[in-house]
Amino acid sequence: MNTYLSSVIEHVKVRHANEPEFVQTVEEVLSSLEPVVEKHPEYEEADLLGRMVEPERMFTFRVVWEDDRGGFHTNIGYRCQFNGAIGPYKGGLRFQKDVYPGIIKFLGFEQTFKNSLTGLPIGGGKGGSDFDPAGKSDAEIMRFCQSFMQALYRYIGPDVDVPAGDMGVGAREIGYLYGEYRRLKGAFENGVLTGKGFSYGGSLIRPEATGFGAVYYLENVLKHEGESVEGKTIACAGFGNVTWGICKKAAELGAKVVTLSGPDGYIYDPDGVVTEEKVGYLLEMRNSGRNKVKDYADKFGVEFFPGEKPWGREVDICMPSAMQNDVDYRQAQRIIVSGAKYYIEVANMPTTNDALKLLMSQPHMTVAPSKAVNAGGVATSALEMAQNSERLVWTAGEVDRQLRQIMDTIYKMSVEAAAQYGLGYDLVSGANIAGFQRVADAMMAQGVF
Ligand code: GLU
């Protein structure tokens, strides 16, 4: 490997030795950039890569909240402002018990490339807390969000840093966070957060956007092979907001999602999560806070596989849409044997690096990377920001049209970037290169810091 690239990776390994997820994403992205760095010696002269792998800044703060019995609890809050070269920092907040700096940094790094790929003016950021929302009452969630914002508000703003949702943070949490921000600032600056409720500045289609965008991207992939979504079977993971959007759009286009998963196992529904009742039930499962996919099996009388993952089921398309490192080397082997032709990442970094390499080396398979496939969510957040700053509301049709166009462009840019560097049809490297290029140009133009 190029000596400059390997020295940057070595530095990250030493400096972030206790943050394996972050090291993993840096290795994956940087190894794609080899032909670019070879062609542009000026990047090494300006230590561009060495700068890109360090967040511009990262905040840690204490979040104290009171439970319903009057007991106090202390959690840690984070906000990582990874790269602001092309726009205000933008990215979600994750509330989950195993959140620690390595998770926030890997997500912030990915976000920088993803946001760049959207073609919109948004830099990369991410935040969250090790707070576990499972089993908390509504009032406890509200008090936690208020306390979290009391610390966060001084670091964010519509032109500074615009958080949104991620795992554990949906419209309810965004509502409480925004209410507290408004109370503290005494101003209706609703462009400070996205994923808001429609009544106070949220965008139509934002709840659906990540899942819809993933299916629009998939349509491009299938078209390249002379196929279409209609009639395809899809294995999904998780049952949250993203999976819900995929089920909804897939059903609309005549395809069916046949698996869902949770921390308790997975379900197999041969008829597909296609009816309005079934798709709607995913929202109920999420709102119940139980975090159990078995509830779906009980309700609709389908098979439940405790403690197992859906990978290896015979389907046309795998869309890991739950969380990082869901598919390891062994799972990847099962997917290959199952005969699936398309491996479309949806969750951030759902595949370990060795599993990703294995899948990409299969001549019968097409692999697409999450930073391109799931970019429709944050892209629609940027559309929400545009509506907020214009003091306008766009129709669902208008937002959906723009979302589709953005996803088509991301696909096309990825294909072109890989071809330009002689890599052939490589959607993974293409997305890394295309995402990198725009941030690199902006950083080079803005001087060294
Ligand atoms: N958390 C989502 C993501 O990873 C959405 C971020 C946003 O809308 O800012 O892209």
Side-chain angles (χ1 to χ4, degrees):
M1 187 192 268
N2 174 287
T3 53
Y4 174 52
L5 274 184
S6 48
S7 78
V8 173
I9 293 174
E10 273 322 300
H11 265 107
V12 171
K13 279 187 179 161
V14 172
R15 214 180 270 152
H16 300 278
N18 299 323
E19 298 171 343
E21 295 85 356
F22 181 54
V23 172
Q24 183 182 334
T25 190
V26 166
E27 274 195 298
E28 193 273 313
V29 172
L30 261 52
S31 55
S32 289
L33 299 178
E34 183 150 29
V36 187
V37 174
E38 294 273 327
K39 203 171 154 193
H40 293 274
E42 69 274 22
Y43 292 162
E44 180 172 353
E45 279 156 34
D47 191 27
L48 187 73
L49 274 305
R51 291 191 277 140
M52 268 178 123
V53 296
E54 278 307 315
E56 290 183 10
R57 64 190 74 75
M58 180 155 169
F59 306 105
T60 301
F61 43 89
R62 184 173 68 204
V63 186
V64 187
W65 56 281
E66 190 179 359
D67 68 28
D68 291 341
R69 295 174 321 261
F72 290 104
H73 303 269
T74 305
N75 286 96
I76 309 179
Y78 302 97
R79 186 68 187 169
C80 175
Q81 300 183 335
F82 214 108
N83 191 306
I86 61 170
Y89 309 104
K90 180 88 198 84
L93 299 170
R94 178 173 290 192
F95 291 172
Q96 202 192 34
K97 61 178 182 317
D98 37 72
V99 161
Y100 80 106
I103 299 270
I104 301 295
K105 273 182 216 162
F106 113 69
L107 290 166
F109 186 71
E110 282 286 291
Q111 198 83 42
T112 301
F113 289 80
K114 179 199 312 196
N115 293 5
S116 166
L117 272 174
T118 67
L120 299 168
I122 40 177
K126 204 82 191 192
S129 174
D130 59 358
F131 172 74
D132 181 8
K136 302 292 185 298
S137 73
D138 198 69
E140 288 171 335
I141 298 279
M142 180 180 77
R143 285 193 295 273
F144 178 81
C145 289
Q146 290 174 336
S147 184
F148 186 88
M149 186 53 86
Q150 278 162 26
L152 182 69
Y153 88 99
R154 65 189 73 235
Y155 307 125
I156 61 175
D159 293 314
V160 179
D161 182 353
V162 183
D166 196 83
M167 288 162 70
V169 179
R172 172 179 63 165
E173 289 74 16
I174 293 293
Y176 293 144
L177 289 164
Y178 178 64
E180 189 63 17
Y181 181 86
R182 191 170 70 76
R183 179 155 76 154
L184 289 163
K185 294 290 294 253
F188 193 79
E189 286 176 10
N190 65 353
V192 70
L193 289 173
T194 62
K196 297 179 295 289
F198 184 61
S199 60
Y200 62 99
S203 175
L204 294 170
I205 304 293
R206 178 62 189 91
E208 292 86 351
T210 311
F212 279 21
V215 178
Y216 297 154
Y217 185 98
L218 170 68
E219 283 190 297
N220 279 286
V221 172
L222 292 169
K223 199 164 140 200
H224 179 86
E225 307 296 324
E227 297 192 46
S228 83
V229 179
E230 199 182 345
K232 295 280 186 298
T233 51
I234 304 173
C236 271
F239 58 85
N241 171 261
V242 177
T243 304
W244 166 76
I246 294 173
C247 292
K248 203 170 159 175
K249 183 53 78 178
E252 209 179 291
L253 298 173
K256 55 185 186 188
V257 172
V258 294
T259 69
L260 304 169
S261 72
D264 52 334
Y266 86 92
I267 65 97
Y268 178 64
D269 182 350
D271 297 332
V273 188
V274 288
T275 61
E276 221 171 280
E277 191 194 1
K278 285 178 174 177
V279 176
Y281 189 65
L282 300 197
L283 298 180
E284 264 182 60
M285 280 160 67
R286 181 150 45 102
N287 293 339
S288 79
R290 284 169 45 78
N291 208 12
K292 291 208 179 339
V293 78
K294 183 175 180 292
D295 291 355
Y296 182 98
D298 293 343
K299 173 132 178 116
F300 298 108
V302 301
E303 252 185 301
F304 170 64
F305 300 85
E308 287 186 46
K309 292 187 180 197
W311 316 121
R313 273 272 160 200
E314 267 185 41
V315 288
D316 300 307
I317 302 160
C318 291
M319 297 182 87
S321 45
M323 62 191 299
Q324 68 274 2
N325 292 335
D326 189 23
V327 178
D328 60 15
Y329 198 83
R330 205 174 51 88
Q331 307 284 348
Q333 284 175 318
R334 296 173 55 131
I335 289 173
I336 291 163
V337 175
S338 80
K341 268 176 70 184
Y342 301 97
Y343 181 78
I344 311 292
E345 291 190 333
V346 187
N348 293 308
M349 200 170 73
T351 325
T352 60
N353 285 355
D354 56 346
L356 186 64
K357 274 203 195 108
L358 179 69
L359 290 160
M360 285 174 70
S361 71
Q362 302 302 308
H364 73 283
M365 289 188 78
T366 302
V367 177
S370 55
K371 65 173 70 63
V373 177
N374 74 26
V378 74
T380 307
S381 278
L383 302 180
E384 181 174 332
M385 289 161 71
Q387 293 170 76
N388 294 156
S389 66
E390 285 184 3
R391 304 267 185 265
L392 284 176
V393 175
W394 300 346
T395 62
E398 175 57 20
V399 178
D400 197 30
R401 187 188 63 76
Q402 292 204 34
L403 168 62
R404 187 184 279 270
Q405 195 173 34
I406 291 166
M407 296 314 297
D408 292 351
T409 307
I410 291 174
Y411 172 81
K412 200 163 150 258
M413 275 168 44
S414 305
V415 172
E416 284 170 5
Q420 189 192 336
Y421 285 96
L423 299 170
Y425 184 64
D426 180 344
L427 298 171
V428 176
S429 302
N432 285 333
I433 295 171
F436 166 79
Q437 202 58 66
R438 197 170 153 227
V439 179
D441 290 349
M443 285 178 74
M444 291 301 279
Q446 290 172 27
V448 177
F449 64 96

